[in-house]
Amino acid sequence: MGKVTGFKEFARNNGDYKPADKRISNFDDIFIPVDETEIKIQAARCMDCGIPFCSSNCPLGNIIPDFNDLVFNNQWEKALQVLHSTNNFPEFTGKICPAPCESGCVLGLIKDPITIEHIELAIAEKGWAKGWIQPEPPAIRTGKSVAIVGSGPAGMAAAQQLARVGHHVTLFERSDAIGGAIKYGVPDYKLPKSYIQRRVDQMVAEGVQFKTSTNVGVDISVETLKTEYDIICLTGGSTEPRDLTISGRNLSGIHFAMDFLPQSNKRVAGKQIPEDLAVTAEGKKVVVIGGGDTGSDCIGTSLRQGAIDVTQLELLPMPPKERDITQPWPVFPRLYKTSSSHDEAEAALNKDIREFSVGTKAFLGNDKGEVTGLKCVRLAWEQIDGRHTMKEIEGSEFILEADLILFAMGFLHPEHTGLLDDLGVEYDSRGNVATNREFQTSIPGIFASGDMRRGQSLVVHAIAEGRNMAYEVDKFLMGETYLRSTLK
């Protein structure tokens, strides 16, 4: 694929970011993509490897060698068709997916892997620029109606697939805008919201009806949905955050990441936040507890809001910088990575803000009930009988000053109270909505997909879940389907 000897001749070039010390002055897109000529060179690095583990590592089953070859041969429109055959929103994954496909790239065994994610983004962006991406309304309507509850990537993908085969689809969203976590959870500097809006416009032209500011179970009853629609699809997020219930938890100034990040995105969108509900890092010493992508988003957002100091705490030990025997190719490894937000923090604060193997013992406050710091302890990790265990290191306790503490420790499961309990769906052992292999819940005619079904996950998994559920819904309604599923 690509140029036969390309992987020997060309080095990986994954684009760049705007200077770290400059970009924190605003929420503009920080990514500087390579030009078209360089993208073709990057596509030329794709090997004729026989078995494309990149495709099998991709939850969507993207046909990666084919679109690389087409880009190299300047057949961009055909590359877009190949990409869209498996992925409704390649610009979403091209911007914010951690690229499990790249960890399966065969070239990655001996050199840096192909820049699959950014080739994907370049294909989609060229498609928009050239006007190749257009609405695809159905030729006929089936007369069947589907209600989809939750407008994140899973709900959007399912809605688009089902609308394109002729069903009447209504997508309900309790927030005031479409997109779920990628709308108000992911900062604009990583994913400009115009990317979402142009897909919404496309879907409207395809017949999808959007109902925002509509909390199903509150603003509209589940009985109404059951009466008015043939099928109900649950595609909400895993929104019940993991808490840290230790001494001082009731102090003001301690918030979940998803109380903080959506407010910032809404401000960027020009919306007003009531002063009594406002959470901002301006002029504050911020401590972020949690080391994942959400934690990084809290760091980048805090810096842009004018935080005077930021520290990130991680309970687990520092991951290895390269694969070890516990993470062999082609599994998606957990490695030590420096995100764009970490670079920004180092540039702004002149220090590495990350602390690994640190536990939080208590939150400290003043006589006004405001948080002033954390009591922490360093941890030692060891493996006993194949299990990693931790213990506190004697005499290692220390105090961190903080005016704002943000929890970015992940999510447990979807909210049960309201919609899910009213429907009476069953839950699995982790508290997610239980389904069978056809994405059907315990209630006939009700399906589920995305984080609500599988738990907190990646945008690429959400799109795959929505597409696969749409396949099952269409087959359930019509007896057969022309849609694609990665599971069939």
Side-chain angles (χ1 to χ4, degrees):
M1 294 299 170
K3 186 177 182 182
V4 175
T5 57
F7 69 94
K8 295 182 178 180
E9 300 174 34
F10 308 122
R12 177 181 168 99
N13 183 348
N14 210 23
D16 205 352
Y17 294 112
K18 297 173 183 176
D21 59 342
K22 300 290 194 298
R23 63 187 189 238
I24 60 173
S25 63
N26 57 63
F27 284 84
D28 295 344
D29 192 349
I30 64 175
F31 182 56
I32 303 173
V34 299
D35 60 24
E36 184 175 316
T37 299
E38 183 61 28
I39 281 289
K40 290 173 66 176
I41 290 173
Q42 293 304 303
R45 298 182 69 234
C46 187
M47 305 166 67
D48 189 7
C49 57
I51 299 176
F53 284 90
C54 54
S55 294
S56 59
N57 264 33
C58 174
L60 285 160
N62 284 341
I63 312 168
I64 295 162
D66 287 24
F67 67 63
N68 281 334
D69 185 57
L70 290 165
V71 167
F72 173 68
N73 286 291
N74 208 35
Q75 298 183 62
W76 288 84
E77 188 170 7
K78 189 173 288 185
L80 179 67
Q81 292 169 1
V82 170
L83 185 52
H84 270 155
S85 72
T86 56
N87 187 354
N88 297 67
F89 315 120
E91 62 272 39
F92 296 178
T93 50
K95 291 293 281 184
I96 59 174
C97 180
C101 54
E102 293 184 15
S103 70
C105 175
V106 175
L107 182 57
L109 280 166
I110 56 172
K111 291 187 176 184
D112 291 331
I114 311 301
T115 61
I116 299 168
E117 181 183 18
H118 289 154
I119 293 172
E120 185 176 332
L121 176 61
I123 295 170
E125 288 303 283
K126 192 172 184 69
W128 284 109
K130 291 289 188 179
W132 296 333
I133 300 177
Q134 294 293 329
E136 300 176 28
I140 59 172
R141 294 288 180 181
T142 64
K144 304 292 185 180
S145 59
V146 180
I148 299 179
V149 184
S151 75
M156 289 181 68
Q160 186 167 66
Q161 292 292 93
L162 291 169
R164 285 178 172 178
V165 293
H167 303 308
H168 292 279
V169 179
T170 304
L171 189 55
F172 293 89
E173 169 57 52
R174 67 181 176 181
S175 183
D176 62 358
I178 298 298
I182 64 170
K183 173 65 178 180
Y184 285 138
V186 177
D188 286 61
Y189 61 82
K190 288 174 63 175
L191 180 68
K193 299 309 176 273
S194 58
Y195 282 63
I196 301 172
Q197 188 57 50
R198 64 190 179 187
R199 286 296 182 180
V200 170
D201 294 342
Q202 179 193 34
M203 292 168 65
V204 168
E206 292 170 343
V208 177
Q209 289 187 306
F210 292 98
K211 292 193 176 183
T212 57
S213 301
T214 304
N215 190 348
V216 177
V218 177
D219 300 314
I220 182 173
S221 71
V222 295
E223 292 304 319
T224 298
L225 255 59
K226 288 180 178 179
T227 301
E228 295 184 357
Y229 295 90
D230 297 306
I231 296 290
I232 299 174
C233 296
L234 307 175
T235 57
S238 180
T239 52
E240 197 70 40
R242 185 171 282 110
D243 206 344
L244 187 57
T245 53
I246 56 177
S247 176
R249 176 63 181 88
N250 61 336
L251 293 166
S252 66
I254 303 173
H255 301 274
F256 293 112
M258 282 308 179
D259 293 332
F260 173 68
L261 293 173
Q263 280 197 12
S264 176
N265 282 10
K266 289 178 180 180
R267 289 191 190 95
V268 172
K271 301 179 186 297
Q272 295 294 318
I273 305 298
E275 190 173 336
D276 60 328
L277 299 177
V279 181
T280 177
E282 184 178 2
K284 295 179 180 176
K285 296 178 180 178
V286 180
V287 173
V288 179
I289 302 179
D293 289 339
T294 302
S296 291
D297 293 346
C298 288
I299 294 165
T301 299
S302 295
L303 293 169
R304 285 164 174 78
Q305 290 184 353
I308 60 175
D309 190 47
V310 182
T311 303
Q312 184 178 30
L313 303 181
E314 172 58 78
L315 186 72
L316 298 172
M318 188 175 82
K321 294 185 178 181
E322 297 181 353
R323 291 182 187 269
D324 56 25
I325 58 173
T326 66
Q327 303 182 99
W329 177 90
V331 301
F332 185 50
R334 181 179 180 269
L335 301 176
Y336 178 84
K337 294 181 180 179
T338 298
S339 72
S340 61
S341 295
H342 293 133
D343 285 337
E344 292 163 1
E346 188 169 344
L349 305 173
N350 197 29
K351 68 173 185 175
D352 186 349
I353 65 168
R354 286 176 283 184
E355 294 268 8
F356 292 94
S357 298
V358 172
T360 305
K361 301 274 286 182
F363 300 115
L364 309 176
N366 57 25
D367 54 9
K368 297 180 182 178
E370 302 165 334
V371 69
T372 58
L374 308 83
K375 182 178 181 182
C376 303
V377 64
R378 302 199 180 275
L379 305 170
W381 288 86
E382 58 183 348
Q383 196 169 17
I384 301 176
D385 296 330
R387 299 183 63 181
H388 287 90
T389 59
M390 66 178 184
K391 64 178 180 180
E392 297 180 3
I393 298 175
E394 188 175 350
S396 68
E397 292 186 354
F398 63 99
I399 302 296
L400 272 178
E401 293 183 1
D403 308 302
L404 176 64
I405 299 173
L406 301 172
F407 291 170
M409 302 176 292
F411 300 86
L412 298 172
H413 50 68
E415 298 168 34
H416 294 171
T417 303
L419 170 64
L420 298 183
D421 282 348
D422 289 349
L423 285 171
V425 295
E426 293 181 1
Y427 304 111
D428 64 18
S429 59
R430 296 182 299 150
N432 299 317
V433 175
T435 69
N436 61 17
R437 296 181 64 182
E438 285 72 42
F439 293 81
Q440 297 181 44
T441 71
S442 56
I443 309 297
I446 300 180
F447 292 69
S449 69
D451 288 4
M452 183 169 277
R453 186 188 82 97
R454 64 173 288 129
Q456 179 190 1
S457 193
L458 308 175
V459 63
V460 66
H461 278 296
I463 297 171
E465 286 269 311
R467 287 174 61 91
N468 291 335
M469 181 186 67
Y471 171 95
E472 298 294 349
V473 169
D474 189 39
K475 190 171 66 171
F476 180 87
L477 288 171
M478 308 303 293
E480 60 181 357
T481 181
Y482 296 104
L483 295 175
R484 297 182 61 166
S485 168
T486 61
L487 303 178
K488 305 298 180 182

